[in-house]
mmCIF file of all heavy atoms in Angstrom:
data_model
loop_
_atom_site.group_PDB
_atom_site.id
_atom_site.type_symbol
_atom_site.label_atom_id
_atom_site.label_comp_id
_atom_site.label_asym_id
_atom_site.label_seq_id
_atom_site.Cartn_x
_atom_site.Cartn_y
_atom_site.Cartn_z
ATOM 1 N N ASP A 580 -7.001 66.755 5.395
ATOM 2 C CA ASP A 580 -5.927 66.133 6.178
ATOM 3 C C ASP A 580 -4.667 66.973 5.935
ATOM 4 O O ASP A 580 -4.117 66.953 4.833
ATOM 5 C CB ASP A 580 -5.721 64.693 5.726
ATOM 6 C CG ASP A 580 -4.722 63.935 6.590
ATOM 7 O OD1 ASP A 580 -3.892 64.599 7.263
ATOM 8 O OD2 ASP A 580 -4.750 62.705 6.584
ATOM 9 N N LEU A 581 -4.231 67.699 6.948
ATOM 10 C CA LEU A 581 -3.118 68.626 6.775
ATOM 11 C C LEU A 581 -1.810 67.911 6.450
ATOM 12 O O LEU A 581 -0.871 68.525 5.944
ATOM 13 C CB LEU A 581 -2.950 69.482 8.038
ATOM 14 C CG LEU A 581 -4.120 70.417 8.338
ATOM 15 C CD1 LEU A 581 -3.894 71.169 9.657
ATOM 16 C CD2 LEU A 581 -4.339 71.420 7.206
ATOM 17 N N ARG A 582 -1.737 66.628 6.717
ATOM 18 C CA ARG A 582 -0.506 65.885 6.418
ATOM 19 C C ARG A 582 -0.260 65.793 4.914
ATOM 20 O O ARG A 582 0.864 65.548 4.466
ATOM 21 C CB ARG A 582 -0.592 64.478 7.017
ATOM 22 C CG ARG A 582 -0.595 64.479 8.525
ATOM 23 C CD ARG A 582 -0.848 63.124 9.110
ATOM 24 N NE ARG A 582 -2.210 62.656 8.860
ATOM 25 C CZ ARG A 582 -2.763 61.619 9.476
ATOM 26 N NH1 ARG A 582 -2.063 60.940 10.390
ATOM 27 N NH2 ARG A 582 -3.994 61.250 9.192
ATOM 28 N N LEU A 583 -1.309 65.995 4.133
ATOM 29 C CA LEU A 583 -1.147 65.912 2.687
ATOM 30 C C LEU A 583 -0.383 67.105 2.122
ATOM 31 O O LEU A 583 -0.039 67.105 0.928
ATOM 32 C CB LEU A 583 -2.528 65.812 2.011
ATOM 33 C CG LEU A 583 -3.396 64.643 2.473
ATOM 34 C CD1 LEU A 583 -4.661 64.556 1.624
ATOM 35 C CD2 LEU A 583 -2.634 63.331 2.412
ATOM 36 N N THR A 584 -0.146 68.116 2.953
ATOM 37 C CA THR A 584 0.674 69.242 2.506
ATOM 38 C C THR A 584 2.158 68.944 2.684
ATOM 39 O O THR A 584 3.006 69.747 2.281
ATOM 40 C CB THR A 584 0.327 70.516 3.295
ATOM 41 O OG1 THR A 584 0.601 70.284 4.683
ATOM 42 C CG2 THR A 584 -1.135 70.876 3.131
ATOM 43 N N LYS A 585 2.473 67.799 3.272
ATOM 44 C CA LYS A 585 3.884 67.459 3.503
ATOM 45 C C LYS A 585 4.270 66.125 2.861
ATOM 46 O O LYS A 585 5.407 65.946 2.445
ATOM 47 C CB LYS A 585 4.173 67.379 5.000
ATOM 48 C CG LYS A 585 3.938 68.669 5.762
ATOM 49 C CD LYS A 585 4.390 68.505 7.224
ATOM 50 C CE LYS A 585 4.182 69.778 8.023
ATOM 51 N NZ LYS A 585 2.754 70.135 8.173
ATOM 52 N N ASP A 586 3.338 65.196 2.799
ATOM 53 C CA ASP A 586 3.654 63.832 2.391
ATOM 54 C C ASP A 586 3.128 63.564 0.985
ATOM 55 O O ASP A 586 1.961 63.811 0.697
ATOM 56 C CB ASP A 586 2.990 62.858 3.386
ATOM 57 C CG ASP A 586 3.781 61.592 3.558
ATOM 58 O OD1 ASP A 586 4.930 61.542 3.097
ATOM 59 O OD2 ASP A 586 3.240 60.640 4.155
ATOM 60 N N LEU A 587 3.978 63.038 0.111
ATOM 61 C CA LEU A 587 3.530 62.668 -1.224
ATOM 62 C C LEU A 587 2.740 61.360 -1.172
ATOM 63 O O LEU A 587 3.016 60.502 -0.328
ATOM 64 C CB LEU A 587 4.736 62.497 -2.159
ATOM 65 C CG LEU A 587 5.377 63.778 -2.685
ATOM 66 C CD1 LEU A 587 6.614 63.443 -3.506
ATOM 67 C CD2 LEU A 587 4.402 64.585 -3.514
ATOM 68 N N PRO A 588 1.799 61.179 -2.083
ATOM 69 C CA PRO A 588 0.980 59.961 -2.052
ATOM 70 C C PRO A 588 1.760 58.749 -2.551
ATOM 71 O O PRO A 588 2.265 58.751 -3.684
ATOM 72 C CB PRO A 588 -0.175 60.297 -3.011
ATOM 73 C CG PRO A 588 0.404 61.270 -3.971
ATOM 74 C CD PRO A 588 1.403 62.069 -3.195
ATOM 75 N N LEU A 589 1.851 57.727 -1.743
ATOM 76 C CA LEU A 589 2.637 56.551 -2.138
ATOM 77 C C LEU A 589 1.933 55.727 -3.202
ATOM 78 O O LEU A 589 2.574 54.979 -3.935
ATOM 79 C CB LEU A 589 2.922 55.685 -0.907
ATOM 80 C CG LEU A 589 3.898 56.324 0.080
ATOM 81 C CD1 LEU A 589 4.121 55.407 1.274
ATOM 82 C CD2 LEU A 589 5.224 56.630 -0.582
ATOM 83 N N ASP A 590 0.626 55.869 -3.301
ATOM 84 C CA ASP A 590 -0.108 55.122 -4.320
ATOM 85 C C ASP A 590 -0.180 55.893 -5.634
ATOM 86 O O ASP A 590 -0.791 55.436 -6.590
ATOM 87 C CB ASP A 590 -1.519 54.805 -3.816
ATOM 88 C CG ASP A 590 -2.186 53.722 -4.641
ATOM 89 O OD1 ASP A 590 -1.460 52.852 -5.162
ATOM 90 O OD2 ASP A 590 -3.418 53.746 -4.790
ATOM 91 N N GLY A 591 0.405 57.086 -5.674
ATOM 92 C CA GLY A 591 0.482 57.836 -6.924
ATOM 93 C C GLY A 591 -0.455 59.012 -7.021
ATOM 94 O O GLY A 591 -0.226 59.927 -7.808
ATOM 95 N N SER A 592 -1.530 59.020 -6.242
ATOM 96 C CA SER A 592 -2.479 60.123 -6.350
ATOM 97 C C SER A 592 -3.182 60.299 -5.023
ATOM 98 O O SER A 592 -3.382 59.344 -4.274
ATOM 99 C CB SER A 592 -3.503 59.849 -7.451
ATOM 100 O OG SER A 592 -4.540 60.799 -7.401
ATOM 101 N N TYR A 593 -3.571 61.538 -4.731
ATOM 102 C CA TYR A 593 -4.306 61.793 -3.497
ATOM 103 C C TYR A 593 -5.788 61.441 -3.619
ATOM 104 O O TYR A 593 -6.473 61.271 -2.619
ATOM 105 C CB TYR A 593 -4.214 63.286 -3.133
ATOM 106 C CG TYR A 593 -2.848 63.723 -2.693
ATOM 107 C CD1 TYR A 593 -2.066 64.546 -3.504
ATOM 108 C CD2 TYR A 593 -2.326 63.350 -1.454
ATOM 109 C CE1 TYR A 593 -0.809 64.974 -3.099
ATOM 110 C CE2 TYR A 593 -1.071 63.774 -1.041
ATOM 111 C CZ TYR A 593 -0.324 64.587 -1.872
ATOM 112 O OH TYR A 593 0.920 65.003 -1.467
ATOM 113 N N PHE A 594 -6.277 61.395 -4.862
ATOM 114 C CA PHE A 594 -7.730 61.415 -4.983
ATOM 115 C C PHE A 594 -8.338 60.192 -5.626
ATOM 116 O O PHE A 594 -9.507 60.142 -5.847
ATOM 117 C CB PHE A 594 -8.168 62.671 -5.741
ATOM 118 C CG PHE A 594 -7.825 63.909 -4.980
ATOM 119 C CD1 PHE A 594 -6.781 64.715 -5.377
ATOM 120 C CD2 PHE A 594 -8.529 64.239 -3.840
ATOM 121 C CE1 PHE A 594 -6.446 65.846 -4.645
ATOM 122 C CE2 PHE A 594 -8.211 65.381 -3.110
ATOM 123 C CZ PHE A 594 -7.167 66.177 -3.508
ATOM 124 N N SER A 595 -7.532 59.212 -6.016
ATOM 125 C CA SER A 595 -8.117 57.962 -6.487
ATOM 126 C C SER A 595 -7.058 56.912 -6.333
ATOM 127 O O SER A 595 -5.918 57.191 -5.991
ATOM 128 C CB SER A 595 -8.563 58.063 -7.945
ATOM 129 O OG SER A 595 -7.423 58.095 -8.788
ATOM 130 N N SER A 596 -7.416 55.664 -6.615
ATOM 131 C CA SER A 596 -6.438 54.586 -6.482
ATOM 132 C C SER A 596 -5.595 54.420 -7.720
ATOM 133 O O SER A 596 -4.761 53.547 -7.789
ATOM 134 C CB SER A 596 -7.147 53.265 -6.176
ATOM 135 O OG SER A 596 -8.057 52.972 -7.208
ATOM 136 N N THR A 597 -5.813 55.253 -8.714
ATOM 137 C CA THR A 597 -4.960 55.202 -9.910
ATOM 138 C C THR A 597 -4.175 56.490 -10.006
ATOM 139 O O THR A 597 -4.650 57.540 -9.590
ATOM 140 C CB THR A 597 -5.802 55.028 -11.186
ATOM 141 O OG1 THR A 597 -6.786 56.046 -11.223
ATOM 142 C CG2 THR A 597 -6.470 53.670 -11.187
ATOM 143 N N PRO A 598 -2.984 56.450 -10.558
ATOM 144 C CA PRO A 598 -2.121 57.631 -10.551
ATOM 145 C C PRO A 598 -2.676 58.766 -11.393
ATOM 146 O O PRO A 598 -3.401 58.556 -12.343
ATOM 147 C CB PRO A 598 -0.804 57.128 -11.141
ATOM 148 C CG PRO A 598 -0.875 55.658 -11.028
ATOM 149 C CD PRO A 598 -2.321 55.302 -11.145
ATOM 150 N N SER A 599 -2.342 59.934 -11.052
ATOM 151 C CA SER A 599 -2.698 61.101 -11.863
ATOM 152 C C SER A 599 -1.689 62.194 -11.558
ATOM 153 O O SER A 599 -0.829 62.033 -10.702
ATOM 154 C CB SER A 599 -4.111 61.598 -11.557
ATOM 155 O OG SER A 599 -4.120 62.272 -10.328
ATOM 156 N N SER A 600 -1.819 63.313 -12.236
ATOM 157 C CA SER A 600 -0.846 64.387 -12.072
ATOM 158 C C SER A 600 -0.920 65.007 -10.683
ATOM 159 O O SER A 600 -0.022 65.721 -10.267
ATOM 160 C CB SER A 600 -1.081 65.461 -13.134
ATOM 161 O OG SER A 600 -2.400 65.980 -12.994
ATOM 162 N N THR A 601 -2.024 64.774 -9.939
ATOM 163 C CA THR A 601 -2.145 65.412 -8.639
ATOM 164 C C THR A 601 -1.217 64.802 -7.605
ATOM 165 O O THR A 601 -1.165 65.252 -6.486
ATOM 166 C CB THR A 601 -3.588 65.310 -8.111
ATOM 167 O OG1 THR A 601 -3.930 63.920 -8.012
ATOM 168 C CG2 THR A 601 -4.554 65.999 -9.022
ATOM 169 N N GLY A 602 -0.505 63.773 -7.951
ATOM 170 C CA GLY A 602 0.371 63.144 -6.980
ATOM 171 C C GLY A 602 1.815 63.586 -7.073
ATOM 172 O O GLY A 602 2.655 63.087 -6.345
ATOM 173 N N ALA A 603 2.119 64.525 -7.972
ATOM 174 C CA ALA A 603 3.515 64.901 -8.184
ATOM 175 C C ALA A 603 4.041 65.822 -7.092
ATOM 176 O O ALA A 603 5.243 65.842 -6.815
ATOM 177 C CB ALA A 603 3.659 65.576 -9.548
ATOM 178 N N HIS A 604 3.150 66.618 -6.472
ATOM 179 C CA HIS A 604 3.561 67.547 -5.436
ATOM 180 C C HIS A 604 2.593 67.454 -4.277
ATOM 181 O O HIS A 604 1.432 67.099 -4.448
ATOM 182 C CB HIS A 604 3.555 68.991 -5.973
ATOM 183 C CG HIS A 604 4.362 69.149 -7.225
ATOM 184 N ND1 HIS A 604 5.748 69.227 -7.208
ATOM 185 C CD2 HIS A 604 3.993 69.233 -8.522
ATOM 186 C CE1 HIS A 604 6.182 69.343 -8.453
ATOM 187 N NE2 HIS A 604 5.151 69.357 -9.268
ATOM 188 N N PRO A 605 3.077 67.842 -3.065
ATOM 189 C CA PRO A 605 2.124 67.883 -1.948
ATOM 190 C C PRO A 605 1.036 68.913 -2.232
ATOM 191 O O PRO A 605 1.239 69.853 -3.012
ATOM 192 C CB PRO A 605 2.994 68.298 -0.754
ATOM 193 C CG PRO A 605 4.382 67.987 -1.149
ATOM 194 C CD PRO A 605 4.449 68.133 -2.637
ATOM 195 N N LEU A 606 -0.103 68.722 -1.595
ATOM 196 C CA LEU A 606 -1.203 69.669 -1.780
ATOM 197 C C LEU A 606 -0.833 71.018 -1.164
ATOM 198 O O LEU A 606 -0.153 71.091 -0.145
ATOM 199 C CB LEU A 606 -2.479 69.127 -1.135
ATOM 200 C CG LEU A 606 -3.059 67.849 -1.747
ATOM 201 C CD1 LEU A 606 -4.330 67.454 -1.026
ATOM 202 C CD2 LEU A 606 -3.322 68.029 -3.233
ATOM 203 N N ALA A 607 -1.302 72.078 -1.823
ATOM 204 C CA ALA A 607 -1.061 73.431 -1.306
ATOM 205 C C ALA A 607 -2.000 73.698 -0.146
ATOM 206 O O ALA A 607 -3.199 73.396 -0.225
ATOM 207 C CB ALA A 607 -1.276 74.461 -2.416
ATOM 208 N N ILE A 608 -1.455 74.296 0.914
ATOM 209 C CA ILE A 608 -2.280 74.494 2.108
ATOM 210 C C ILE A 608 -3.393 75.517 1.858
ATOM 211 O O ILE A 608 -4.441 75.471 2.501
ATOM 212 C CB ILE A 608 -1.399 74.879 3.307
ATOM 213 C CG1 ILE A 608 -2.182 74.656 4.608
ATOM 214 C CG2 ILE A 608 -0.881 76.308 3.186
ATOM 215 C CD1 ILE A 608 -1.340 74.547 5.824
ATOM 216 N N GLN A 609 -3.155 76.425 0.891
ATOM 217 C CA GLN A 609 -4.215 77.410 0.616
ATOM 218 C C GLN A 609 -5.478 76.718 0.123
ATOM 219 O O GLN A 609 -6.590 77.099 0.447
ATOM 220 C CB GLN A 609 -3.772 78.424 -0.444
ATOM 221 C CG GLN A 609 -2.555 79.234 -0.057
ATOM 222 C CD GLN A 609 -1.282 78.615 -0.592
ATOM 223 O OE1 GLN A 609 -1.088 77.405 -0.479
ATOM 224 N NE2 GLN A 609 -0.429 79.430 -1.153
ATOM 225 N N GLY A 610 -5.281 75.697 -0.692
ATOM 226 C CA GLY A 610 -6.421 74.977 -1.231
ATOM 227 C C GLY A 610 -7.210 74.248 -0.158
ATOM 228 O O GLY A 610 -8.429 74.133 -0.230
ATOM 229 N N LEU A 611 -6.503 73.794 0.859
ATOM 230 C CA LEU A 611 -7.181 73.051 1.920
ATOM 231 C C LEU A 611 -7.874 73.984 2.916
ATOM 232 O O LEU A 611 -8.944 73.657 3.429
ATOM 233 C CB LEU A 611 -6.174 72.177 2.677
ATOM 234 C CG LEU A 611 -5.429 71.119 1.866
ATOM 235 C CD1 LEU A 611 -4.545 70.283 2.786
ATOM 236 C CD2 LEU A 611 -6.389 70.221 1.120
ATOM 237 N N LEU A 612 -7.276 75.138 3.192
ATOM 238 C CA LEU A 612 -7.788 75.994 4.251
ATOM 239 C C LEU A 612 -8.552 77.209 3.742
ATOM 240 O O LEU A 612 -8.864 78.115 4.518
ATOM 241 C CB LEU A 612 -6.624 76.467 5.149
ATOM 242 C CG LEU A 612 -5.886 75.343 5.892
ATOM 243 C CD1 LEU A 612 -4.802 75.917 6.796
ATOM 244 C CD2 LEU A 612 -6.866 74.510 6.701
ATOM 245 N N LYS A 613 -8.902 77.227 2.466
ATOM 246 C CA LYS A 613 -9.654 78.370 1.936
ATOM 247 C C LYS A 613 -11.020 78.475 2.589
ATOM 248 O O LYS A 613 -11.652 79.539 2.607
ATOM 249 C CB LYS A 613 -9.797 78.269 0.423
ATOM 250 C CG LYS A 613 -10.502 77.010 -0.083
ATOM 251 C CD LYS A 613 -10.606 77.078 -1.607
ATOM 252 C CE LYS A 613 -11.230 75.815 -2.183
ATOM 253 N NZ LYS A 613 -10.228 74.728 -2.306
ATOM 254 N N TYR A 614 -11.508 77.381 3.144
ATOM 255 C CA TYR A 614 -12.843 77.387 3.736
ATOM 256 C C TYR A 614 -12.870 78.129 5.079
ATOM 257 O O TYR A 614 -13.942 78.435 5.593
ATOM 258 C CB TYR A 614 -13.350 75.958 3.912
ATOM 259 C CG TYR A 614 -13.403 75.206 2.610
ATOM 260 C CD1 TYR A 614 -12.373 74.351 2.243
ATOM 261 C CD2 TYR A 614 -14.465 75.388 1.728
ATOM 262 C CE1 TYR A 614 -12.397 73.684 1.028
ATOM 263 C CE2 TYR A 614 -14.496 74.715 0.524
ATOM 264 C CZ TYR A 614 -13.460 73.880 0.166
ATOM 265 O OH TYR A 614 -13.482 73.230 -1.034
ATOM 266 N N ASN A 615 -11.694 78.399 5.653
ATOM 267 C CA ASN A 615 -11.649 79.155 6.911
ATOM 268 C C ASN A 615 -12.248 80.543 6.735
ATOM 269 O O ASN A 615 -12.851 81.083 7.653
ATOM 270 C CB ASN A 615 -10.206 79.292 7.406
ATOM 271 C CG ASN A 615 -9.781 78.079 8.221
ATOM 272 O OD1 ASN A 615 -10.603 77.419 8.835
ATOM 273 N ND2 ASN A 615 -8.498 77.787 8.197
ATOM 274 N N SER A 616 -12.039 81.104 5.542
ATOM 275 C CA SER A 616 -12.499 82.475 5.317
ATOM 276 C C SER A 616 -13.686 82.524 4.368
ATOM 277 O O SER A 616 -14.085 83.605 3.931
ATOM 278 C CB SER A 616 -11.355 83.317 4.733
ATOM 279 O OG SER A 616 -10.846 82.686 3.559
ATOM 280 N N LEU A 617 -14.271 81.379 4.061
ATOM 281 C CA LEU A 617 -15.388 81.346 3.116
ATOM 282 C C LEU A 617 -16.685 81.687 3.841
ATOM 283 O O LEU A 617 -17.037 81.044 4.838
ATOM 284 C CB LEU A 617 -15.467 79.966 2.473
ATOM 285 C CG LEU A 617 -16.553 79.762 1.434
ATOM 286 C CD1 LEU A 617 -16.323 80.684 0.241
ATOM 287 C CD2 LEU A 617 -16.589 78.315 0.985
ATOM 288 N N ALA A 618 -17.371 82.685 3.335
ATOM 289 C CA ALA A 618 -18.630 83.104 3.970
ATOM 290 C C ALA A 618 -19.627 81.961 3.936
ATOM 291 O O ALA A 618 -19.869 81.363 2.894
ATOM 292 C CB ALA A 618 -19.188 84.324 3.238
ATOM 293 N N GLY A 619 -20.230 81.697 5.081
ATOM 294 C CA GLY A 619 -21.252 80.660 5.154
ATOM 295 C C GLY A 619 -20.713 79.293 5.536
ATOM 296 O O GLY A 619 -21.483 78.401 5.900
ATOM 297 N N ALA A 620 -19.401 79.109 5.466
ATOM 298 C CA ALA A 620 -18.820 77.809 5.827
ATOM 299 C C ALA A 620 -18.534 77.770 7.319
ATOM 300 O O ALA A 620 -18.286 78.796 7.953
ATOM 301 C CB ALA A 620 -17.545 77.567 5.035
ATOM 302 N N SER A 621 -18.562 76.569 7.868
ATOM 303 C CA SER A 621 -18.256 76.371 9.284
ATOM 304 C C SER A 621 -17.176 75.308 9.414
ATOM 305 O O SER A 621 -17.110 74.374 8.629
ATOM 306 C CB SER A 621 -19.501 75.904 10.058
ATOM 307 O OG SER A 621 -20.489 76.888 10.037
ATOM 308 N N ARG A 622 -16.366 75.515 10.425
ATOM 309 C CA ARG A 622 -15.302 74.540 10.735
ATOM 310 C C ARG A 622 -15.803 73.766 11.928
ATOM 311 O O ARG A 622 -15.680 74.217 13.058
ATOM 312 C CB ARG A 622 -14.022 75.308 11.014
ATOM 313 C CG ARG A 622 -12.810 74.487 11.367
ATOM 314 C CD ARG A 622 -11.612 75.427 11.441
ATOM 315 N NE ARG A 622 -10.490 74.835 12.122
ATOM 316 C CZ ARG A 622 -9.221 75.001 11.733
ATOM 317 N NH1 ARG A 622 -8.946 75.733 10.671
ATOM 318 N NH2 ARG A 622 -8.241 74.462 12.433
ATOM 319 N N ILE A 623 -16.375 72.592 11.710
ATOM 320 C CA ILE A 623 -17.131 71.936 12.783
ATOM 321 C C ILE A 623 -16.327 70.870 13.523
ATOM 322 O O ILE A 623 -16.802 70.315 14.521
ATOM 323 C CB ILE A 623 -18.440 71.325 12.251
ATOM 324 C CG1 ILE A 623 -18.153 70.204 11.233
ATOM 325 C CG2 ILE A 623 -19.332 72.399 11.645
ATOM 326 C CD1 ILE A 623 -19.409 69.447 10.832
ATOM 327 N N TYR A 624 -15.121 70.559 13.025
ATOM 328 C CA TYR A 624 -14.324 69.528 13.694
ATOM 329 C C TYR A 624 -12.867 69.812 13.435
ATOM 330 O O TYR A 624 -12.482 70.195 12.321
ATOM 331 C CB TYR A 624 -14.693 68.146 13.165
ATOM 332 C CG TYR A 624 -13.815 67.021 13.662
ATOM 333 C CD1 TYR A 624 -14.223 66.230 14.735
ATOM 334 C CD2 TYR A 624 -12.579 66.743 13.070
ATOM 335 C CE1 TYR A 624 -13.426 65.197 15.197
ATOM 336 C CE2 TYR A 624 -11.781 65.723 13.532
ATOM 337 C CZ TYR A 624 -12.202 64.944 14.590
ATOM 338 O OH TYR A 624 -11.416 63.919 15.053
ATOM 339 N N SER A 625 -12.050 69.607 14.459
ATOM 340 C CA SER A 625 -10.609 69.712 14.280
ATOM 341 C C SER A 625 -9.923 68.896 15.362
ATOM 342 O O SER A 625 -10.354 68.901 16.522
ATOM 343 C CB SER A 625 -10.158 71.169 14.347
ATOM 344 O OG SER A 625 -8.747 71.230 14.336
ATOM 345 N N ASP A 626 -8.854 68.175 14.965
ATOM 346 C CA ASP A 626 -8.023 67.483 15.963
ATOM 347 C C ASP A 626 -6.558 67.875 15.794
ATOM 348 O O ASP A 626 -5.662 67.171 16.245
ATOM 349 C CB ASP A 626 -8.197 65.966 15.886
ATOM 350 C CG ASP A 626 -7.696 65.377 14.573
ATOM 351 O OD1 ASP A 626 -7.101 66.122 13.784
ATOM 352 O OD2 ASP A 626 -7.904 64.177 14.342
ATOM 353 N N GLY A 627 -6.351 68.994 15.092
ATOM 354 C CA GLY A 627 -5.006 69.457 14.833
ATOM 355 C C GLY A 627 -4.440 68.906 13.546
ATOM 356 O O GLY A 627 -3.507 69.470 12.979
ATOM 357 N N THR A 628 -5.011 67.802 13.037
ATOM 358 C CA THR A 628 -4.551 67.175 11.798
ATOM 359 C C THR A 628 -5.684 67.093 10.785
ATOM 360 O O THR A 628 -5.527 67.431 9.622
ATOM 361 C CB THR A 628 -4.018 65.757 12.087
ATOM 362 O OG1 THR A 628 -2.916 65.846 12.983
ATOM 363 C CG2 THR A 628 -3.571 65.063 10.812
ATOM 364 N N MET A 629 -6.828 66.618 11.226
ATOM 365 C CA MET A 629 -8.008 66.512 10.359
ATOM 366 C C MET A 629 -8.959 67.656 10.680
ATOM 367 O O MET A 629 -9.201 67.964 11.852
ATOM 368 C CB MET A 629 -8.747 65.188 10.605
ATOM 369 C CG MET A 629 -7.872 63.957 10.646
ATOM 370 S SD MET A 629 -7.199 63.491 9.046
ATOM 371 C CE MET A 629 -8.672 63.151 8.134
ATOM 372 N N ILE A 630 -9.492 68.276 9.636
ATOM 373 C CA ILE A 630 -10.448 69.378 9.817
ATOM 374 C C ILE A 630 -11.670 69.083 8.942
ATOM 375 O O ILE A 630 -11.516 68.651 7.782
ATOM 376 C CB ILE A 630 -9.843 70.727 9.396
ATOM 377 C CG1 ILE A 630 -8.566 71.002 10.189
ATOM 378 C CG2 ILE A 630 -10.840 71.870 9.628
ATOM 379 C CD1 ILE A 630 -7.809 72.229 9.728
ATOM 380 N N VAL A 631 -12.854 69.308 9.512
ATOM 381 C CA VAL A 631 -14.081 69.105 8.755
ATOM 382 C C VAL A 631 -14.765 70.457 8.567
ATOM 383 O O VAL A 631 -15.059 71.152 9.553
ATOM 384 C CB VAL A 631 -15.034 68.130 9.477
ATOM 385 C CG1 VAL A 631 -16.329 67.983 8.686
ATOM 386 C CG2 VAL A 631 -14.362 66.781 9.674
#
Side-chain angles (χ1 to χ4, degrees):
Chain A
D580 186 338
L581 295 177
R582 293 173 292 193
L583 303 187
T584 61
K585 299 185 180 65
D586 211 11
L587 282 176
L589 291 180
D590 196 31
S592 170
Y593 290 109
F594 296 106
S595 72
S596 59
T597 54
S599 75
S600 60
T601 59
H604 306 282
L606 295 181
I608 198 160
Q609 300 94 314
L611 300 184
L612 297 183
K613 59 178 177 279
Y614 301 98
N615 275 332
S616 55
L617 182 63
S621 296
R622 179 173 164 141
I623 64 172
Y624 173 98
S625 173
D626 65 7
T628 299
M629 313 289 298
I630 303 173
V631 178

